[in-house]
Amino acid sequence: MEYQFGLNGLKPAKDFNKKERGSCKVQYCRRKVFWSAVERFILKGFSWEAAIDRILDAYGSHKSVAKILKMMQKDRAANVDRLGV
């Protein structure tokens, strides 16, 4: 949702220009891997809720958001696809 629609009335992350991405680069980069996965699911016809459920199933719903994001980043760097999208 944050990537596509924004949070708390803020601009969606997908619409950030280069300067805006740079001003919050750490948060943007950390979350980008998640929002890219959600976007791939949506493009395949899943709802955003189903996409998030699939991500939690693949990485463990009992894990913290920070842990899941780190795992997703490591998988991306190693070219591992746990999600099948």
Side-chain angles (χ1 to χ4, degrees):
M1 296 255 315
E2 177 186 13
Y3 179 77
Q4 190 171 5
F5 302 109
L7 288 177
N8 301 323
L10 298 174
K11 181 190 238 182
K14 72 180 178 92
D15 295 336
F16 284 1
N17 62 36
K18 188 174 182 175
K19 182 178 179 183
E20 290 167 327
R21 281 191 303 271
S23 69
C24 59
K25 188 169 186 127
V26 172
Q27 293 89 351
Y28 178 80
C29 289
R30 186 175 298 136
R31 296 174 184 156
K32 172 107 172 65
V33 66
F34 172 81
W35 292 117
S36 293
V38 170
E39 187 172 42
R40 287 193 313 270
F41 275 113
I42 289 170
L43 290 173
K44 295 233 178 201
F46 291 86
S47 68
W48 63 266
E49 295 100 337
I52 292 171
D53 287 343
R54 294 258 178 144
I55 292 168
L56 291 176
D57 289 344
Y59 287 95
S61 59
H62 62 283
K63 293 188 172 107
S64 70
V65 171
K67 178 71 173 171
I68 291 171
L69 292 174
K70 284 181 185 178
M71 291 170 69
M72 291 180 81
Q73 288 171 338
K74 285 182 182 179
D75 284 352
R76 181 180 61 187
N79 203 25
V80 174
D81 183 13
R82 294 186 198 205
L83 303 173
V85 244

